[in-house]
Amino acid sequence: MRKYFIFISLISMALFACAQKKNKVPNYMEVNDHTKTATAVFGGGCFWCTEAQFQSLEGVYKVESGYAGGNVPNPTYDQVCTGTTGHAEVIRVTYDPAKLSYNELLQAFYLSHDPTQLNRQGNDVGTQYRSVIFYGNEQQKEEAEFYTKKLNESGAYDKPIVTQIAPLDKFYVAENYHQNYYNENGSQPYCMMVIRPKLEKFKKAFASHLKKQ
């Protein structure tokens, strides 16, 4: 646990450095003036896990599981699982940038999985489980690249980060039974043995950003 909190300190240093850079550039968020929301797309292994983690954050309105980064239109889960479509399992996060910044989402993203594992997370193996940040504009790209660089330099990991940073072409919403998966299937073995421990660890590390119960 001590090693994990040392990691939190290092990742916070990277976040501070990124925030310093952010002050030098204009606001980049594509915000709807009526709803005051923005979106971010991340892939960090099985979307059931990352969906549950990001749902717990204050300022997050909606998390949708889906697919992105491939060359097959309207892919199905079965197709993506073959690893031949080029798509990754991802989440699209709709959030209030006045309550939660893109930099803080980047911090949550890196806390949510192991970005040093290439094309896998634990026992989930394949390019569909790759670590990836899909940016929606140039500012998100700059922030993601800068943050990742600083995090690598901080020594937070024993191995280099292999997270892909790529433009978002198209996000495909996954089938209905994948949405809100942990909340609706929490008693299933995968949820209890895999998702719950990751979620509890995430909540401890990101306690100051959690939704009020």
Side-chain angles (χ1 to χ4, degrees), residues 82 86 93 100 109 169 189 213:
T82 66
V93 183
L100 191 66
F109 166 72
D169 180 24
Q213 297 298 322

Side-chain angles (χ1 to χ4, degrees), residues 118-181:
L118 182 63
N119 296 330
R120 71 178 300 162
Q121 283 297 303
N123 293 325
D124 294 326
V125 180
T127 56
Q128 66 271 31
Y129 301 113
R130 64 187 181 273
S131 176
V132 57
I133 299 169
F134 286 108
Y135 58 86
N137 52 53
E138 284 302 306
Q139 190 59 40
Q140 284 189 351
K141 176 185 178 183
E142 289 180 14
E143 302 247 356
E145 289 177 342
F146 186 82
Y147 186 92
T148 304
K149 177 176 180 292
K150 288 298 180 181
L151 188 57
N152 253 327
E153 293 173 351
S154 74
Y157 298 97
D158 296 331
K159 296 182 291 185
I161 292 172
V162 296
T163 300
Q164 178 189 10
I165 300 174
L168 178 65
D169 180 24
K170 178 71 175 179
F171 172 84
Y172 296 98
V173 179
E175 294 84 345
N176 287 338
Y177 69 90
H178 291 300
Q179 309 303 326
N180 201 33
Y181 191 85

